[in-house]
């Protein structure tokens, strides 16, 4: 069942006087297990709604409406299906002691994969779960494969349930569902010949495997070398070459790249970020595939809109990985604005210096850098370092940081231009998510 969290004005739900807190148990006799069930069943013209309200008898509502018309009900968030894997690079193990509870939520939920593009391993779905994916056409899905070699995948996931991933993907794709796949590359585990095997196996499943992204493992000071380690430049270069071979085949046979190396893989290898044609229709920027190229392109589009700021001192705050990348952009910004523009790379003391992405910068480290930076007029902070609640990864509220310094200096930075607000791309630590 699902709980009603809100009623939209002038909606069918308001006309029926449905109450917040009531629970929808069945629609047309079918059980409503979660929000996806609800949306799936709501899309009918004739509905019989079974609603339970605390302290009252269940009520059946018969509704006739256009099939496309929603009832106007906002549902409470579903309970997230948690992950039972014990991955060698588990992001939970990479959290510091005392991290906020939400950072310890280990999700592996196909519903989040369908609705938000989160990567899942499919290890917690039995036959009924797979049939539900097919029946409700939950596509595309985003699947962390890591390896198609059963023993290797089981070692990486730490459970004996993930070895049949090729059979699982075949069941889904044969039924017409589409999937984006991912490999988190762990040297000595799933690279080299194992990566070639994975690429070939996924390609052989056909066109309903829409893509394969290869992203390097990300580790913090709390889980590095226990047991996975970071890639060396030569290993990253080899993986890029393997991806490129797969791309050439895909270009010839399907007229698209299909396989993509993550941005971080190019930086580890000391290689330039590809041009925009590498990324086809940009399906994977949220997974750190093409985010840097999009930054460059957006900057070119937005730079002409930036006003003159003659004599001002502007700080661009980013992670250590992007600091050298942004320096040429800062020089362009100086020419456009007449301001003094400095790029400051912040060392991540919260997770350790192996974490270099701007999206995981803690507020405390940013505050310390700004405190020592001297007087400034504007500070451009990476918006990706804030969650929807306007808090940094270490739970420091943005408002606290803003009021610690000149309020206008920080706030104005977010209003400068859309291109500069996205001054540094963020990527989650590669994980099963």
């Amino acid at each position: 069942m699902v709980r009603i969290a809100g009623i939209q004005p002038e909606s069918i739900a308001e006309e029926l006087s449905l109450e917040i807190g009531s629970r929808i148990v069945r629609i047309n006799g079918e059980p409503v297990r979660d929000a996806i069930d609800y949306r799936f069943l709501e899309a009918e013209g004739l509905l019989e709604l079974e609603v339970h309200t605390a302290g009252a008898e269940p009520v059946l509502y018969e509704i006739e409406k256009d099939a496309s018309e929603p009832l106007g009900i906002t549902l409470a968030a579903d309970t997230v299906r948690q992950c039972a894997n014990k991955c060698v690079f588990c992001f939970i193990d990479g959290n510091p002691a005392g991290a906020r509870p939400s950072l310890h939520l280990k999700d592996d939920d196909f519903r989040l994969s369908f609705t938000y593009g989160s990567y899942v391993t499919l290890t917690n779905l039995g036959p009924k779960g797979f049939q539900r994916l097919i029946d409700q056409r939950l596509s595309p899905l985003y699947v962390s494969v890591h390896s198609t070699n059963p023993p290797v995948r089981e070692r990486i996931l730490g459970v004996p349930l993930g070895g049949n991933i090729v059979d699982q993907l075949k069941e889904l794709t044969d039924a017409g569902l589409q999937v984006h796949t991912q490999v988190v590359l762990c040297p000595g585990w799933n690279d080299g010949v194992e990566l070639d095997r994975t690429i070939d196996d996924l390609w052989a499943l056909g066109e309903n495997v829409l893509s394969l992204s290869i992203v390097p493992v990300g580790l913090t000071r709390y889980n590095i070398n226990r047991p996975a380690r970071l890639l060396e430049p030569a290993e990253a270069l080899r993986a890029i070459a393997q991806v490129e071979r797969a791309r050439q085949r895909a270009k010839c046979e399907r007229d698209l790249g299909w396989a993509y190396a993550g941005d971080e893989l190019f930086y580890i290898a000391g290689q330039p970020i590809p041009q925009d044609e590498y990324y086809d229709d940009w399906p994977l920027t949220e997974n750190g595939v093409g985010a840097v190229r999009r930054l460059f392109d957006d900057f070119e589009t937005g730079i002409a809109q930036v006003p003159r700021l003659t004599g001002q001192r502007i700080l661009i705050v980013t992670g250590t990985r992007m600091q050298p990348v942004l320096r040429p952009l800062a020089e362009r910004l100086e020419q456009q604005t007449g301001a003094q523009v400095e790029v400051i790379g912040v060392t991540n003391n919260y997770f350790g210096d192996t974490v270099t992405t701007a999206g995981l910068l803690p507020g405390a480290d940013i505050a310390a850098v700004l405190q020592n930076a001297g007087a400034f007029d504007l500070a451009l902070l990476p918006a990706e370092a804030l969650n929807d609640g306007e808090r940094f990864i270490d739970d420091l509220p943005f408002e606290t940081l803003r009021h610690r310094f000149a309020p206008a200096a920080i706030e104005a930075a977010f209003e400068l231009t859309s291109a500069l607000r996205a001054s540094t791309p963020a990527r989650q630590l590669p994980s099963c998510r």
Side-chain angles (χ1 to χ4, degrees):
M1 65 182 70
V2 293
R3 184 172 63 84
I4 299 175
I7 303 293
Q8 297 173 15
E10 301 181 4
S11 65
I12 294 173
E14 186 179 63
E15 291 179 14
L16 296 174
S17 299
L18 296 180
E19 298 180 15
I20 293 175
S22 298
R23 298 183 181 274
I24 300 172
V25 179
R26 292 180 181 81
I27 296 178
N28 292 342
E30 296 289 334
V32 182
R33 294 163 290 190
D34 50 36
I36 288 181
D37 269 353
Y38 172 79
R39 298 302 176 196
F40 185 78
L41 295 167
E42 181 193 34
E44 298 285 342
L46 296 174
L47 298 181
E48 183 181 76
L49 210 67
E50 181 180 337
V51 178
H52 291 202
T53 302
E57 293 294 319
V59 178
L60 289 178
Y61 296 89
E62 294 184 351
I63 302 164
E64 183 176 354
K65 65 178 184 64
D66 291 335
S68 60
E69 184 180 6
L71 295 177
I73 293 171
T74 301
L75 298 178
D78 293 322
T79 301
V80 174
R81 287 173 175 254
Q82 298 211 30
C83 179
N85 302 327
K86 300 175 183 177
C87 295
V88 297
F89 52 83
C90 180
F91 68 95
I92 294 294
D93 295 338
N95 283 329
R100 67 172 181 256
S102 61
L103 294 182
H104 291 278
L105 178 61
K106 204 174 164 187
D107 70 83
D108 196 14
D109 196 320
F110 71 89
R111 298 168 300 184
L112 298 180
S113 182
F114 171 65
T115 54
Y116 296 108
S118 300
Y119 280 87
V120 293
T121 63
L122 302 179
T123 57
N124 59 1
L125 283 180
K128 289 183 178 179
F130 269 86
Q131 192 58 48
R132 179 184 179 187
L133 296 178
I134 294 167
D135 291 343
Q136 296 185 336
R137 313 297 299 169
L138 300 185
S139 173
L141 294 171
Y142 294 75
V143 180
S144 281
V145 174
H146 306 322
S147 175
T148 55
N149 186 343
V152 172
R153 190 170 195 257
E154 289 172 4
R155 284 182 64 223
I156 290 173
L157 297 182
V159 293
L161 302 173
N164 60 339
I165 185 62
V166 172
D167 292 339
Q168 291 175 321
L169 292 176
K170 181 172 173 47
E171 180 181 353
L172 296 178
T173 55
D174 283 353
L177 273 66
Q178 297 178 317
V179 295
H180 292 281
T181 60
Q182 171 187 251
V183 167
V184 174
L185 200 61
C186 302
W189 293 77
N190 59 350
D191 58 344
V193 295
E194 291 296 341
L195 179 57
D196 281 334
R197 169 177 173 158
T198 297
I199 291 172
D200 291 343
D201 286 348
L202 293 175
W203 178 257
L205 288 172
E207 295 187 6
N208 280 335
V209 176
L210 299 177
S211 71
L212 168 62
S213 56
I214 312 297
V215 297
V217 65
L219 302 167
T220 77
R221 62 176 172 171
Y222 300 101
N223 66 345
I224 191 169
N225 300 325
R226 294 185 287 176
R229 63 171 175 84
L230 299 175
L231 271 80
E232 298 291 340
E235 293 166 333
L237 192 61
R238 181 178 64 180
I240 291 171
Q242 292 174 277
V243 171
E244 190 56 35
R245 287 195 293 271
R247 290 177 55 78
Q248 293 306 315
R249 175 175 58 187
K251 287 285 189 181
C252 290
E253 297 182 19
R254 297 184 193 167
D255 197 29
L256 82 165
W258 184 76
Y260 310 90
D263 299 347
E264 185 74 4
L265 209 56
F266 288 101
Y267 284 126
I268 295 172
Q271 297 296 301
I273 294 295
Q275 297 300 314
D276 57 359
E277 58 267 19
Y278 181 92
Y279 301 103
D280 295 320
D281 58 352
W282 304 87
L284 303 164
T285 52
E286 293 299 318
N287 197 34
V289 178
V292 175
R293 173 52 57 193
R294 177 154 286 178
L295 159 67
F296 291 158
D297 293 349
D298 287 349
F299 185 88
E300 293 300 325
T301 301
I303 183 81
Q305 305 170 27
V306 179
R308 296 293 293 178
L309 298 166
T310 304
Q312 294 195 25
R313 183 175 182 236
I314 300 175
L315 306 180
I316 299 178
V317 177
T318 186
T320 53
R321 175 67 76 192
M322 289 297 292
Q323 183 180 18
V325 179
L326 292 180
R327 280 178 180 147
L329 275 61
E331 293 174 2
R332 297 274 308 283
L333 191 57
E334 282 190 340
Q335 297 171 5
Q336 172 70 21
T337 63
Q340 175 189 350
V341 182
E342 301 171 35
V343 181
I344 298 178
V346 180
T347 299
N348 195 320
N349 294 309
Y350 190 68
F351 289 115
D353 59 9
T354 59
V355 177
T356 59
T357 178
L360 291 174
L361 283 177
D365 287 345
I366 293 175
V369 164
L370 293 178
Q371 188 68 48
N372 295 323
F376 60 88
D377 298 289
L378 295 175
L380 293 171
L381 307 186
E384 293 86 352
L386 295 167
N387 66 9
D388 291 341
E390 294 289 291
R391 289 177 176 267
F392 293 95
I393 195 76
D394 58 351
D395 219 26
L396 182 73
F398 170 69
E399 280 298 304
T400 300
L401 182 65
R402 189 173 72 87
H403 286 297
R404 190 175 300 177
F405 302 94
I410 301 289
E411 191 168 21
F414 281 83
E415 301 301 326
L416 197 52
T417 69
S418 60
L420 297 179
R421 280 203 302 275
S423 59
T424 46
R427 178 171 60 82
Q428 294 293 325
L429 290 176
S431 68
C432 62
R433 300 178 64 181

